[in-house]
Amino acid sequence: MCWIISLLLLAGVLGACSAAKMAYDRAPDLAYWYLDGYVDFTGAQSLQVKDDLAKLQRWHRQTQLPDYRTTLQSLQQQLQGDVNTAQACRAFADVRGKLMRVSEQAAPAVAALASTLTNNQLTQLERKFNRDNSKWKADYLDGSPQSRRSKRYEQAVKRAEMLYGNLDDIQLEIIEQAIDQSSFEPATTYSERVRRQQDTLQSLRRFAQHRGSTHDNPEQSVKLIRAIFERSLDSPDPAYRSYQNRLTEDGCKTFARLHNSASTDQRGRAIEKLRRYEQDLMVLTAQNER
């Protein structure tokens, strides 16, 4: 279901209604509280992180939102007719690229923060990762195969209905078949999840060990942070990259089948939702001119 997830993720960044536009305006505060839950910022760190998040949002509003509007217009055109797997995967790659640009822009601020994290904060980060992993395992690794399948099915239906509204029996069957035939391997996904976390922790601990040298060479620090982001998006493990590509292909095929089975009313609902995203985007963009 990666294509649907991409559409909804893009919508979440843009804002889908007046409440979501308010959330976009509050995004720096929301992001701060989320990050603070992982490392518990000091007073000085809090001030710097809040300032950096505000700057990142200004950059995003000024330079990225116009391109998002173009993407939404293209998606509205595509959803008027049938779509194929290649089109779905191109849309997914487009959203993925937009997210990567944000991470690249954020890298200098992340590098500056990384150089100030204490050992206690890194220990807290590791504990938070472990707690998150326990919940992930409970959802996708523990329990009976039937309960895990039911959870994935419910999540997939909920995501699809956010775009199309209520699904009919044929569409529900498409989702069931997609789950039963999916390349998803919870143990493989979990292993990569842990790898990314350990990669992050080890890299941040190297920052702490070489605190003076990282301050003296900010360009190298930014390069190291960007490398972490890249390894998170594109695993250094060839086997996992192949697995991830299969999952993406699965999702693109499923979306194409689901959309092509959609009624005229369902397609109209999806297009109208994207049109509202575009209208809200115009409002957000206009705020730059005030």
Side-chain angles (χ1 to χ4, degrees):
M1 308 302 289
C2 60
W3 214 76
I4 292 174
I5 295 171
S6 294
L7 285 175
L8 297 175
L9 180 59
L10 178 62
V13 173
L14 296 176
C17 61
S18 59
K21 290 199 294 289
M22 185 182 300
Y24 183 91
D25 287 333
R26 293 188 57 221
D29 290 335
L30 297 173
Y32 169 81
W33 289 114
Y34 176 82
L35 295 171
D36 187 53
Y38 277 82
V39 295
D40 190 14
F41 296 128
T42 65
Q45 288 171 336
S46 293
L47 293 174
Q48 187 60 53
V49 170
K50 289 178 180 179
D51 184 58
D52 287 336
L53 287 170
K55 290 177 180 176
L56 181 63
Q57 188 195 44
R58 285 196 295 272
W59 165 84
H60 187 268
R61 192 191 297 269
Q62 294 168 3
T63 67
Q64 303 302 294
L65 293 189
D67 185 44
Y68 286 18
R69 184 182 177 192
T70 300
T71 295
L72 285 171
Q73 291 170 339
S74 175
L75 289 172
Q76 290 173 66
Q77 290 294 320
Q78 289 184 44
L79 295 189
Q80 290 179 15
D82 287 355
V83 299
N84 57 42
T85 299
Q87 287 175 308
C89 282
R90 281 196 295 271
F92 176 76
D94 180 58
V95 174
R96 186 174 184 272
K98 286 176 168 55
L99 295 176
M100 189 62 195
R101 285 197 290 276
V102 175
S103 67
E104 289 174 351
Q105 180 68 20
V110 175
L113 172 65
S115 66
T116 69
L117 294 176
T118 66
N119 289 330
N120 286 340
Q121 287 175 314
L122 295 178
T123 297
Q124 176 168 322
L125 176 60
E126 184 171 23
R127 289 184 185 134
K128 185 67 167 65
F129 281 158
N130 290 336
R131 288 194 295 270
D132 290 348
N133 289 342
S134 294
K135 184 178 184 306
W136 195 97
K137 288 176 66 178
D139 288 340
Y140 299 105
L141 272 173
D142 300 335
S144 68
Q146 183 178 2
S147 66
R148 298 198 304 266
R149 180 187 183 279
S150 294
K151 185 173 185 63
R152 292 180 59 211
Y153 173 76
E154 291 170 3
Q155 289 175 335
V157 170
K158 182 177 180 180
R159 288 166 182 158
E161 289 185 338
M162 287 177 67
L163 190 63
Y164 291 106
N166 293 333
L167 304 181
D168 61 28
D169 291 343
I170 292 176
Q171 292 164 330
L172 294 174
E173 178 64 23
I174 288 173
I175 292 177
E176 284 196 275
Q177 291 176 359
I179 290 173
D180 290 337
Q181 299 169 9
S182 172
S183 302
F184 178 63
E185 300 171 359
T188 300
T189 299
Y190 181 74
S191 178
E192 173 65 14
R193 176 188 178 92
V194 173
R195 183 207 64 78
R196 291 172 180 172
Q197 293 169 349
Q198 291 303 311
D199 184 8
T200 298
L201 286 168
Q202 290 170 10
S203 298
L204 293 177
R205 283 172 176 144
R206 283 196 292 272
F207 270 88
Q209 292 170 0
H210 303 90
R211 204 175 300 277
S213 60
T214 54
H215 278 305
D216 295 338
N217 193 350
E219 291 184 3
Q220 180 64 19
S221 299
V222 172
K223 183 178 179 181
L224 291 173
I225 291 297
R226 284 181 172 149
I228 297 173
F229 290 157
E230 290 172 4
R231 291 193 298 273
S232 293
L233 284 174
D234 293 303
S235 174
D237 180 2
Y240 185 82
R241 289 199 303 272
S242 178
Y243 163 71
Q244 190 173 43
N245 289 338
R246 292 196 303 273
L247 285 179
T248 300
E249 184 77 6
D250 288 348
C252 294
K253 287 180 180 178
T254 300
F255 176 80
R257 289 187 63 199
L258 190 65
H259 176 75
N260 295 345
S261 71
S263 67
T264 300
D265 287 344
Q266 286 176 321
R267 293 187 186 195
R269 186 182 189 280
I271 292 168
E272 175 60 20
K273 182 176 284 286
L274 296 184
R275 188 186 67 81
R276 292 199 303 269
Y277 296 161
E278 183 188 357
Q279 288 179 333
D280 290 339
L281 175 58
M282 291 174 64
V283 174
L284 290 168
T285 304
Q287 292 177 5
N288 295 330
E289 302 171 358
R290 295 176 184 175

